[in-house]
């Protein structure tokens, strides 16, 4: 147990953010451009509001200008599309992010499709995802959470090439792009989802597990091959009377059990979460550099 490495996402995210800060300063000093990120939030979901607040704070710390639009739940699709179109045309804005989920009366596909691909810092435009899936093609942006997972593996020198990786979950924003990325890194990838029979038999084969399900403590110690590396994307509130807030956050992996079996694991919180925001800043910087042809 003493040899188990806790993958410190907070620390790595801080390192990444320091590197981003230095690059932003270099760009500002040499061409006078400050990266800009526009965030569109529709409705009053508390978790979404928290994410948007955190992103805004992170932008400010990094020296990225943030443009925030908060629209009421009953807004129309046209209103959202108008903001997107204005941001598409705005040279101060290099990244546009529509906070998901959108209210149910809106067509998510249509709205994500409206973000111009050069500013799609979330990497959710179908063209970006398509390029991610194709051999020999390069997406303009890689979705932030899966990019953060891979960055953690890289920074901890976890070999991916030739390894067996299992991704649990196949959502458009985490599981599916995570599986595509692992495959691009030459892992042999299996995807486990809600219709998979005996998932533990598949995960037990894995050298690397990325869990993105949304089910607290679903992955037990017995699901894990000794020495495997575990990236836990799940963020699940569970009741906890001893916590002043009345709840605490746990991952999709039963941490107490997993840490006895795995060679390395991300904690929740403090694992993937901070990396997601760092990757958003990284994508925004990348976009500002590309749009301004700054090397
Ligand atoms: P979704 O609900 O969109 O997707 C969940 C996936 O898990 C689906 O593919 C679903 O399968 C699969 N699944 C559900 N139940 C089971 C099961 N019993 N066994 C195997 N697979 C199952 O969630 P997201 O991908 O958006 O998010 C997943 C988790 O990651 C959540 O806890 C979320 O809060 C967290 N998250 C964390 C982020 C971070 O920055 N750390 C960012 C984004 C999300 P099927 O397709 O068959 O329905």
């Amino acid at each position: 147990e003493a040899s188990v490495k806790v993958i410190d996402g907070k620390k790595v995210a801080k390192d990444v953010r320091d590197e981003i800060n230095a690059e932003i300063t270099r760009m500002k000093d040499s061409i006078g451009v400050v990266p800009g990120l526009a965030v569109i939030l529709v409705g009053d979901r508390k978790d979404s509001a928290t994410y948007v607040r955190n992103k805004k704070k992170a932008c400010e710390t990094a020296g990225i200008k943030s443009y925030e639009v908060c629209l009421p739940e009953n807004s129309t699709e046209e209103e959202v599309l108008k903001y997107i179109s204005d941001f598409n045309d705005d040279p101060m804005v290099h990244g546009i992010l529509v906070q998901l989920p959108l209210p149910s009366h809106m067509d998510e596909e249509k709205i994500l499709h409206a973000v111009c691909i050069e500013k799609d810092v979330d990497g959710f435009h179908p063209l970006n995802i398509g390029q991610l899936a194709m051999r020999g093609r390069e997406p303009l942006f890689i979705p932030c959470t899966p990019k953060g997972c891979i960055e953690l593996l890289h920074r901890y020198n976890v070999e991916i090439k030739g390894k067996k990786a299992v991704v649990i979950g196949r959502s458009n924003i985490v599981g599916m792009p995570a599986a595509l990325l692992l495959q691009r890194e030459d892992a042999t990838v299996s995807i486990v989802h809600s219709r998979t029979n005996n998932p533990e038999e598949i995960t037990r084969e894995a050298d690397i597990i990325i869990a993105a399900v949304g089910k607290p403590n679903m992955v037990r110690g017995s699901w894990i091959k000794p020495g495997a590396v575990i990236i836990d994307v799940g963020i699940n509130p569970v009741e906890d009377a001893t916590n002043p807030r009345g709840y605490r956050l746990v991952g999709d992996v039963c941490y107490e059990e997993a840490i006895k079996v795995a060679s390395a694991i991300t904690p929740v919180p403090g694992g993937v979460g901070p990396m997601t925001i760092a990757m958003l800043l990284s994508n925004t910087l990348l976009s500002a550099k590309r749009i301004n042809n700054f090397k």
Side-chain angles (χ1 to χ4, degrees):
E1 192 171 342
S3 68
V4 168
K5 264 190 274 171
V6 177
I7 298 177
D8 188 347
K10 234 171 131 175
K11 162 78 170 61
V12 175
K14 167 82 170 64
D15 293 346
V16 171
R17 283 162 63 161
D18 286 347
E19 292 160 22
I20 292 169
N21 279 18
E23 275 299 278
I24 289 176
T25 306
R26 190 171 70 85
M27 182 164 69
K28 194 174 159 196
D29 290 349
S30 78
I31 61 168
V33 172
V34 172
L37 175 69
V39 181
I40 300 172
L41 170 65
V42 190
D44 39 32
R45 279 179 66 116
K46 259 170 105 185
D47 55 344
S48 293
T50 307
Y51 295 140
V52 168
R53 198 169 52 241
N54 290 341
K55 288 168 187 172
K56 192 179 168 188
K57 231 170 65 191
C59 279
E60 280 163 10
T61 316
I64 292 174
K65 180 132 182 54
S66 72
Y67 305 82
E68 196 191 271
V69 176
C70 297
L71 298 169
E73 179 81 22
N74 61 2
S75 309
T76 64
E77 218 170 80
E78 286 64 40
E79 288 172 275
V80 179
L81 290 171
K82 176 76 173 74
Y83 276 104
I84 292 176
S85 156
D86 288 349
F87 286 136
N88 280 344
D89 295 338
D90 187 341
M92 304 284 278
V93 170
H94 307 99
I96 302 170
L97 184 157
V98 181
Q99 184 65 45
L100 300 178
L102 286 162
S104 54
H105 66 278
M106 289 188 185
D107 182 347
E108 180 186 291
E109 188 177 347
K110 187 170 166 194
I111 286 174
L112 293 183
H113 211 279
V115 174
C116 92
I117 181 172
E118 286 80 14
K119 298 187 179 185
D120 175 36
V121 286
D122 253 342
F124 293 159
H125 192 290
L127 193 52
N128 260 327
I129 296 283
Q131 282 165 335
L132 186 66
M134 291 168 87
R135 293 245 341 127
R137 306 289 171 89
E138 287 301 323
L140 287 165
F141 299 101
I142 294 166
C144 300
T145 300
K147 187 178 177 183
C149 296
I150 302 295
E151 188 70 25
L152 284 175
L153 295 174
H154 285 166
R155 298 228 177 192
Y156 275 81
N157 296 317
V158 175
E159 172 107 21
I160 303 175
K161 188 175 171 178
K163 299 293 177 188
K164 284 189 186 162
V166 172
V167 178
I168 317 177
R170 56 175 166 183
S171 71
N172 288 339
I173 63 169
V174 191
M176 179 266 288
L180 293 173
L181 274 173
L182 286 165
Q183 186 166 338
R184 283 178 91 93
E185 301 259 344
D186 294 328
T188 301
V189 185
S190 305
I191 299 170
V192 165
H193 48 74
S194 69
R195 304 300 163 90
T196 303
N197 295 323
N198 307 322
E200 66 282 4
E201 286 174 10
I202 297 164
T203 56
R204 237 179 255 142
E205 300 269 302
D207 304 302
I208 298 167
I209 297 175
I210 296 185
V213 189
K215 298 250 182 294
N217 300 325
M218 185 184 89
V219 178
R220 308 298 302 263
S222 62
W223 291 37
I224 299 167
K225 177 165 106 175
V229 175
I230 316 288
I231 305 290
D232 189 354
V233 181
I235 302 178
N236 309 295
V238 295
E239 263 185 54
D240 181 356
T242 67
N243 192 299
R245 289 195 213 150
Y247 71 93
R248 73 194 150 90
L249 297 177
V250 304
D252 292 338
V253 179
C254 181
Y255 187 85
E256 295 73 21
E257 292 179 8
I259 200 158
K260 297 194 177 115
V261 190
S263 67
I265 180 167
T266 58
V268 176
V272 176
M275 289 302 288
T276 296
I277 291 200
M279 292 303 115
L280 175 64
L281 303 177
S282 161
N283 278 353
T284 305
L285 170 63
L286 171 74
S287 180
K289 281 179 155 182
R290 188 159 47 210
I291 288 171
N292 291 284
N293 200 15
F294 179 72
K295 299 271 185 307

